[in-house]
Amino acid sequence: MDHSSAAPAGLDPNVPHPARRYNYWLGGKDHFAADRASGDALEKLFPKVRDGALANRAQLQRATRFLAEAGIRQFLDIGTGLPTADNTHEVAQRIIPDARIVYVDNDPLVMVHARALLNSSPEGRTAYIEADLNTPRAILQNPALRETLDLGQPVGLMLIAVLHFIHGDGAARPIVRELLDALPAGSYLVATHATSDFGTPEQQVLYRQLVEQGKSDVWTRPKEEFTALFDGLELVEPGVVPASEWRPEPGAVIPERSDINIWTAVGRKP
């Protein structure tokens, strides 16, 4: 369905947005023609990109379950994306019914559908903030966050498929550091990030050209730069691995790394 005629204020349906393109790849229905065209163009060049989106979503769910089982009762999910099955609060609250979750995204269409994200268990609580990862202080000082989360207690910081929209070598690290500095010991960072590490030299050149030409908004990072985001944290086994290789479900078929092209890791703040 094309929702262009019902676009909320502040949203240009003619400009593709990562959250809506991701929703398209996941098989959702909340996207515009521009988002589908952007997704199709990238999929034509990189035929397995949809597999990467699905693997990324599965990693969010596995890591959320891991944190909840480790006793984390609070989550800050930045770069939420559009609601779909098994969002962070649904996974967490199945294990910890009184878990609290704050979602953050900068797409007005996500706000339109925020009711699905705010459908908390009776014991727990969820909140939604429309904000940008580029301004972490504004996120941390938002009253909705302060009313929902106790920053004196451990928090699971979820940065799933969002840091690669921060362009520039080394540009993501200070943002992650500012967020982590506001969280107490015992908090966790969960991150996934697109990479070109597994592509052929020709594919890597092509991708750099797409970014330079404005045809892709994803700034890939190599393993070394992604790993540096976890400096000072205790990495949870198996460490930094492709998204589909982080504690996969029993019997899961592990795809080729070049089919996924996403690094992931989970780290605990000591």
Side-chain angles (χ1 to χ4, degrees):
M1 180 179 294
D2 191 336
H3 303 274
S4 301
S5 60
L11 187 155
D12 185 348
N14 298 310
V15 177
H17 189 282
R20 301 192 301 269
R21 184 177 61 218
Y22 186 48
N23 179 263
Y24 172 55
W25 283 336
L26 291 176
K29 58 182 178 60
D30 297 304
H31 38 75
F32 300 117
D35 306 307
R36 296 190 290 276
S38 173
D40 289 343
L42 286 173
E43 192 168 4
K44 185 176 181 180
L45 293 170
F46 306 98
K48 297 292 185 176
V49 69
R50 195 180 295 259
D51 291 346
L54 292 168
N56 183 79
R57 184 70 183 177
Q59 169 58 359
L60 165 66
Q61 294 159 356
R62 292 197 306 275
T64 300
R65 187 167 64 244
F66 169 81
L67 263 58
E69 290 173 349
I72 296 297
R73 314 176 78 85
Q74 306 185 109
F75 296 80
L76 176 55
D77 186 337
I78 303 177
T80 303
L82 287 149
T84 181
D86 276 350
N87 298 292
T88 302
H89 74 281
E90 294 167 319
V91 176
Q93 289 178 348
R94 277 200 291 268
I95 299 166
I96 300 179
D98 63 350
R100 293 179 166 226
I101 294 87
V102 171
Y103 290 107
V104 182
D105 207 292
N106 69 344
D107 179 6
L109 192 60
V110 179
M111 176 63 93
V112 171
H113 294 279
R115 288 188 302 275
L117 296 173
L118 301 177
N119 186 24
S120 172
S121 66
E123 305 93 333
R125 186 173 177 183
T126 59
Y128 176 75
I129 299 171
E130 189 169 346
D132 195 306
L133 179 59
N134 285 287
T135 56
R137 181 174 300 180
I139 295 172
L140 294 167
Q141 293 181 347
N142 191 288
L145 183 146
R146 298 285 175 166
E147 293 167 4
T148 307
L149 304 183
D150 176 3
L151 297 188
Q153 298 297 320
V155 173
L157 174 60
M158 318 297 286
L159 297 175
I160 303 296
V162 65
L163 291 169
H164 48 231
F165 299 114
I166 305 297
H167 286 210
D169 295 333
R173 187 174 181 182
I175 293 173
V176 173
R177 193 55 42 191
E178 184 170 352
L179 291 166
L180 285 173
D181 285 348
L183 305 181
S187 295
Y188 284 82
L189 167 64
V190 179
T192 67
H193 200 298
T195 185
S196 298
D197 285 355
F198 307 121
T200 65
E202 293 77 16
Q203 288 173 326
Q204 293 175 356
V205 170
L206 171 60
Y207 203 85
R208 285 195 295 271
Q209 291 174 343
L210 291 174
V211 174
E212 292 167 357
Q213 296 167 2
K215 296 180 180 178
S216 175
D217 47 15
V218 173
W219 184 277
T220 59
R221 289 185 167 88
K223 183 178 183 180
E224 294 75 14
E225 187 176 354
F226 176 73
T227 302
L229 300 175
F230 291 81
D231 284 353
L233 303 183
E234 300 167 346
L235 282 177
V236 174
E237 290 293 334
V240 177
V241 294
S244 55
E245 297 179 25
W246 196 91
R247 303 191 175 206
E249 302 293 346
V253 177
I254 306 301
E256 294 292 329
R257 292 184 169 192
S258 57
D259 290 348
I260 302 302
N261 290 303
I262 297 173
W263 288 118
T264 192
V266 176
R268 181 181 182 277
K269 184 174 180 179

